Amino acid sequence: MNSDRSSWDLREFVESLADELERVHQVARVKAMQRKRLYTVEDMGLSLNVFAEYDGDRVRFRTALPGEEGASKMDLKLGSITDKVVAETTTDETLTARTPLEETDRAAIKPDEARRLKRYGVDSKEDVTRLAKRGVRVDGVDFVDLARRMAQASAPRRRPKPERVVRFRKGRGQSLVVFGADLDEIDPETVRIDGRAARVQTAARMLTIEDAPEHAGELEFKTFGRERVRLKLN
């Protein structure tokens, strides 16, 4: 193990250890072609003294140095598994092309959402689509809505076409409704009224702006294609 102060990831360590064991079996197989085998490696146990480090997202481990106190003991055991068992416990989906969440448009999924999904083993766009078909909703994530956002973000970009603006009273304030075409291409988080962020709801042919200023003069927003658009309201 490392003798410095660097930390390591459990998954990477186990995968590296498994690779080494596979090499042992490969060497043993070649040797068996030359003479009879006298031994085999089936199971392997390993005890480590480590310090766990958690950064709020991942757990990493640092190996205790000789004489260092306060470390926890971690026992690992790797057992044998056959190719038949591997085939029975995996699916062909794991071998098909996948789109990692990190490569998904930021307009469709935010980094904190991606981190939360990874805790459930969801790490690709295809995983989201499969769960959306089952109507899954967990930890505040609606997979149907998320799949829709991803599909929308990857679809060919359309340019919003505002056509007319209607002002109306709502309670003690004023709201605006912008009618037009392809208004669902507007990124709601970028909508500004006279330079100030606005609360909005978007649909294909309508953009509703809540609590608009009494004499609002300019509407500004960005499309999901990152185009900036300004619209005079007067």
Side-chain angles (χ1 to χ4, degrees):
M1 297 299 295
N2 56 323
S3 59
D4 57 16
R5 308 295 292 182
S6 61
S7 59
W8 42 273
D9 182 275
L10 180 60
R11 181 188 63 183
E12 294 174 355
F13 171 65
V14 172
E15 288 177 350
S16 297
L17 191 58
D19 287 342
E20 290 297 323
L21 289 175
E22 286 182 4
R23 292 190 185 98
V24 169
H25 281 287
Q26 290 172 353
V27 171
R29 181 174 182 180
V30 173
K31 285 185 176 181
M33 295 177 182
Q34 310 302 319
R35 57 181 180 272
K36 291 184 178 181
R37 293 176 60 181
L38 302 177
Y39 72 94
T40 185
V41 178
E42 291 191 3
D43 297 333
M44 177 178 178
L46 186 66
S47 293
L48 303 173
N49 291 322
V50 299
F51 293 94
E53 301 174 353
Y54 178 59
D55 62 6
D57 184 35
R58 298 177 63 189
V59 176
R60 297 182 66 85
F61 298 91
R62 180 176 62 81
T63 309
L65 298 177
E68 191 172 11
E69 298 181 353
S72 300
K73 185 178 181 181
M74 179 192 298
D75 291 321
L76 296 175
K77 184 174 182 181
L78 278 78
S80 302
I81 186 171
T82 65
D83 54 354
K84 182 178 180 180
V85 174
V86 172
E88 291 175 347
T89 56
T90 57
T91 65
D92 291 341
E93 293 177 351
T94 59
L95 304 177
T96 59
R98 294 156 67 83
T99 306
L101 293 179
E102 293 82 2
E103 296 180 10
T104 305
D105 196 311
R106 290 292 182 88
I109 182 169
K110 298 179 177 58
D112 61 324
E113 284 184 307
R115 286 193 295 270
R116 192 160 67 243
L117 292 177
K118 282 180 176 294
R119 295 192 181 103
Y120 289 96
V122 179
D123 55 15
S124 72
K125 180 179 178 181
E126 290 71 25
D127 291 337
V128 172
T129 301
R130 185 171 60 255
L131 292 170
K133 291 179 179 179
R134 299 180 182 179
V136 175
R137 183 183 181 119
V138 65
D139 195 19
V141 178
D142 184 340
F143 284 93
V144 174
D145 178 65
L146 183 55
R148 179 191 60 78
R149 280 187 275 151
M150 286 184 171
Q152 187 179 63
S154 61
R157 297 270 73 92
R158 294 166 286 135
R159 194 177 192 279
K161 304 179 185 65
E163 296 172 356
R164 62 190 178 95
V165 179
V166 176
R167 303 172 186 258
F168 65 93
R169 288 284 178 185
K170 186 175 182 181
R172 297 182 179 180
Q174 178 181 247
S175 294
L176 299 177
V177 176
V178 180
F179 294 95
D182 297 327
L183 300 183
D184 53 345
E185 281 292 306
I186 295 174
D187 183 351
E189 296 185 2
T190 67
V191 177
R192 301 287 185 271
I193 292 288
D194 291 341
R196 296 184 178 182
R199 239 174 359 108
V200 304
Q201 294 180 358
T202 59
R205 299 195 59 80
M206 185 169 63
L207 172 72
T208 304
I209 304 169
E210 305 288 351
D211 303 322
E214 185 73 26
H215 302 290
E218 183 180 71
L219 168 66
E220 180 182 349
F221 58 83
K222 289 182 180 179
T223 69
F224 285 124
R226 312 318 295 168
E227 178 184 1
R228 185 185 298 273
V229 178
R230 288 189 175 92
L231 178 65
K232 293 296 182 181
L233 300 175
N234 296 328

